[in-house]
Amino acid sequence: MTYEFSYNANPMRVRFGSGALSAVADELDHVGLRRVLVLCSPSQKDTAESLASILGDRCVGVRADAVMHVPAEVAARSSAEALSLGADGCVTVGGGSSIGLGKAIALEHGLPIVAVPTTYAGSEMTPVWGMTTNGRKDTGRDNRVLPCSVIYDPDLTTSLPVGISVTSGINAVAHAVEALYAPDISPIVALMAEDGVRALASALPAIVANPSDAQARSEALYGAWLCGATLGATTMSLHHKLCHALGGSLNLPHAPTHTVVLPHVLAFNQSAAPGAVSALSRALPGSGDPARRLWDLCRALDAPRSLAELGMKEGDIDRAAEEATSRSYGNPRLVTREAVTAILHGAWAGDRPTDIGQ
């Protein structure tokens, strides 16, 4: 086989293992941070307060107001507090909301991030930022928002509710799926994407069966790391753009939206992505094409299967389709307003995914 590709490794440090949270101070020493603001969502405040106790006077405060889709006004308030407290960096504790808030501060003021993920979102592995202003979610890439250190402690995920574990894990799978058919895919990223999907597809059923299964929690966090890294190394396509449109304009929950939409977008793209189909066929359990295997896996995990059950009204489909097609982006198959509308109708109803072009 003749190879021709480009690959850039993102400059970050990873510390992985049970009990790794206790090493946060060492990581701050490694990256040279002395005064950090700890960021989290309200649900992670206890964990953030425990971390603040570990850090002592190196923690200048805890801000527990991170929310989905990073509203611009929340980012502005947190940025102002970081400056007023004289923070030289931020420690984010939680999932994509907390990490996203840290990224917004880093984008505005260049403060480095140390990330402590407690879900499988994968945002900690990417230079991708997102912010919502007046119902529109904008995203971009900037190396300033890439965490300089990531601490993966599977112990922090054992209390993650099963439902959130499932949707967070499928959200991570979505990163790898799109990486596998991205125009800038490389053999290295393809290996990471396939093994990330394999790990999560194996771990999530075990977590549903026994949420305290330490081995399954570790395997899922490992898979999330790989899947997040693939998103950081490639460009996003229709699936992410569509979910950003649904989240920003309709405020639908982030991970459940990815979980519902992914099989439908994959079904649309499969005919133009044979390499992705081969990799996903190896990584996902079951029979049939990968889109249906993924849909069957989500059903077996009792994950949400329709946008309607997430609160979307059928009348919102045209609005979301317009938003998702208002800007151009790469995708292995030509994206049209009609195709996106059809995909959304299937996802809204919770239908079994089909290739709407055939």
Side-chain angles (χ1 to χ4, degrees):
M1 180 180 294
T2 300
Y3 291 107
E4 185 175 344
F5 63 90
S6 297
Y7 172 69
N8 290 320
N10 285 329
M12 64 164 57
R13 172 181 166 91
V14 170
R15 190 157 188 159
F16 194 110
S18 175
L21 182 65
S22 62
V24 173
D26 292 341
E27 291 304 302
L28 295 185
D29 288 339
H30 183 80
V31 298
L33 297 180
R34 303 302 305 172
R35 295 175 57 81
V36 295
L37 176 64
V38 177
L39 306 171
C40 65
S41 63
S43 64
Q44 289 292 336
K45 189 173 182 179
D46 288 346
T47 302
E49 295 283 4
S50 296
L51 175 58
S53 297
I54 293 172
L55 295 178
D57 59 8
R58 297 180 70 168
C59 175
V60 297
V62 174
R63 190 164 185 94
D65 60 352
V67 293
M68 289 190 309
H69 309 304
V70 194
E73 59 274 17
V74 174
R77 289 196 298 268
S78 297
S79 294
E81 181 165 355
L83 288 185
S84 68
L85 293 172
D88 60 1
C90 294
V91 177
T92 64
V93 179
S97 298
S98 302
I99 296 166
L101 181 57
K103 288 182 173 184
I105 297 172
L107 186 68
E108 179 70 18
H109 301 296
L111 298 186
I113 302 169
V114 172
V116 184
T118 63
T119 73
Y120 308 128
S123 176
E124 68 279 356
M125 296 305 296
T126 81
V128 178
W129 59 267
M131 195 179 307
T132 301
T133 306
N134 298 325
R136 183 184 179 97
K137 186 171 184 177
D138 292 309
T139 62
R141 286 176 179 263
D142 193 307
N143 283 336
R144 287 178 298 171
V145 310
L146 185 73
C148 55
S149 180
V150 180
I151 299 170
Y152 287 108
D153 186 341
D155 297 349
L156 299 179
T157 66
T158 56
S159 61
L160 190 65
V162 168
I164 298 176
S165 298
V166 168
T167 56
S168 177
I170 300 300
N171 181 21
V173 168
H175 306 331
V177 168
E178 288 226 306
L180 283 166
Y181 53 61
D184 46 1
I185 185 71
S186 73
I188 305 302
V189 172
L191 289 171
M192 296 168 68
E194 182 176 334
D195 202 43
V197 173
R198 177 209 57 76
L200 282 159
S202 171
L204 291 178
I207 289 171
V208 170
N210 178 11
S212 62
D213 186 329
Q215 182 175 343
R217 289 291 186 177
S218 183
E219 181 81 352
L221 199 57
Y222 163 78
W225 169 18
L226 294 183
C227 291
T230 67
L231 177 67
T234 57
T235 56
M236 292 183 287
S237 300
L238 173 60
H239 170 78
H240 279 85
K241 298 301 183 181
L242 186 51
C243 289
H244 290 162
L246 291 168
S249 62
L250 303 178
N251 200 37
L252 295 186
H254 183 78
T257 299
H258 278 269
T259 301
V260 170
V261 170
L262 180 60
H264 297 274
V265 176
L266 179 56
F268 172 72
N269 277 329
Q270 282 179 149
S271 62
V277 168
S278 295
L280 292 171
S281 294
R282 292 188 295 268
L284 291 167
S287 59
D289 65 62
R292 293 193 176 187
R293 292 192 199 189
L294 184 58
W295 193 83
D296 288 340
L297 175 63
C298 291
R299 182 173 59 174
L301 297 173
D302 199 27
R305 293 195 296 277
S306 75
L307 293 175
E309 68 185 280
L310 301 183
M312 181 179 176
K313 299 176 181 178
E314 189 172 13
D316 290 326
I317 289 176
D318 285 343
R319 175 185 172 189
E322 171 64 27
E323 173 66 20
T325 55
S326 63
R327 287 169 285 188
S328 62
Y329 44 85
N331 195 68
R333 189 173 174 186
L334 179 65
V335 175
T336 65
R337 172 74 176 271
E338 293 73 22
V340 171
T341 300
I343 289 169
L344 284 171
H345 272 291
W348 181 84
D351 295 337
R352 191 173 178 84
T354 59
D355 182 349
I356 54 91
Q358 295 182 353

